[in-house]
Amino acid sequence: MKYFYILLISIACLALTGCGGSSSSDNGITLTPQQQEFADVVYAFATAINNKDKETAKSFIMADVVYNKTYGYDEFKNRLENFIDSAENINFQVKDIGVAFLDTNLDSAEVRADVTIKYNTNAEINEILEIYVEKSGSLKGITLFQKYRSEVSAFPPVLE
């Protein structure tokens, strides 16, 4: 009977040991180094917007970008410039992020990011974004930007 209790306690300890985990990103999901490269594009894009750095933010947008299903580079760029110029106290935060590769060469990936974008006094956008990032040599850029499930993203809003 004593061995039964020792065995039961040992099994419980092993089970509890397996419940732990490590987290190297915001949501507890560990990204591979290859996945992290693509996630970093989204983080750098958000940082550029927070810093009101239009040129850096635009440098992450590829010329063939699909924005909200129909718009292209010019529409996205113009809305982004308007937002950065007009908004005050921008706080673009990526809460959760996941990366799935779209090809076997690991040259393009779908990045899903749960974001909160606060600006001005009390304006806020909460969305799960679907962002495709493509690698061309050492450069990486956004080729698709929309709300998850092919819906229209509210970002960047047009401000007057």
Side-chain angles (χ1 to χ4, degrees):
M1 192 64 141
K2 182 164 75 171
Y3 295 110
F4 174 73
Y5 288 120
I6 292 173
L7 180 63
L8 189 60
I9 291 171
S10 297
I11 291 171
C13 288
L14 285 173
L16 289 174
T17 301
C19 291
S22 65
S23 63
S24 64
S25 65
D26 299 340
N27 59 3
I29 296 173
T30 302
L31 299 176
T32 67
Q34 293 85 2
Q35 290 172 318
Q36 189 65 52
E37 284 183 64
F38 290 87
D40 286 346
V41 170
V42 176
Y43 287 123
F45 179 71
T47 299
I49 292 168
N50 287 339
N51 293 334
K52 297 188 75 138
D53 185 348
K54 285 189 295 193
E55 296 309 312
T56 301
K58 289 187 307 185
S59 74
F60 290 107
I61 304 168
M62 301 292 267
D64 59 347
V65 68
V66 174
Y67 171 61
N68 284 339
K69 300 187 268 189
T70 57
Y71 301 126
Y73 177 79
D74 289 333
E75 180 70 17
F76 192 28
K77 176 186 71 79
N78 292 339
R79 289 177 67 128
L80 185 62
E81 286 179 339
N82 170 269
F83 176 73
I84 290 172
D85 287 341
S86 303
E88 299 291 327
N89 304 316
I90 302 171
N91 186 6
F92 188 129
Q93 293 296 313
V94 179
K95 296 183 285 188
D96 291 320
I97 199 161
V99 177
F101 288 106
L102 299 171
D103 64 3
T104 57
N105 296 330
L106 308 180
D107 288 335
S108 61
E110 175 187 5
V111 179
R112 286 193 195 154
D114 184 2
V115 302
T116 298
I117 303 132
K118 296 179 181 179
Y119 58 97
N120 295 344
T121 305
N122 57 358
E124 185 173 314
I125 298 171
N126 289 297
E127 294 184 333
I128 296 176
L129 296 175
E130 182 176 2
I131 302 169
Y132 287 8
V133 177
E134 193 171 286
K135 180 167 50 171
S136 177
S138 63
L139 300 174
K140 295 174 196 65
I142 297 169
T143 59
L144 180 129
F145 190 98
Q146 64 191 17
K147 190 173 176 181
Y148 179 59
R149 297 190 183 208
S150 300
E151 293 184 29
V152 174
S153 173
F155 183 81
V158 175
L159 303 177
E160 300 301 321

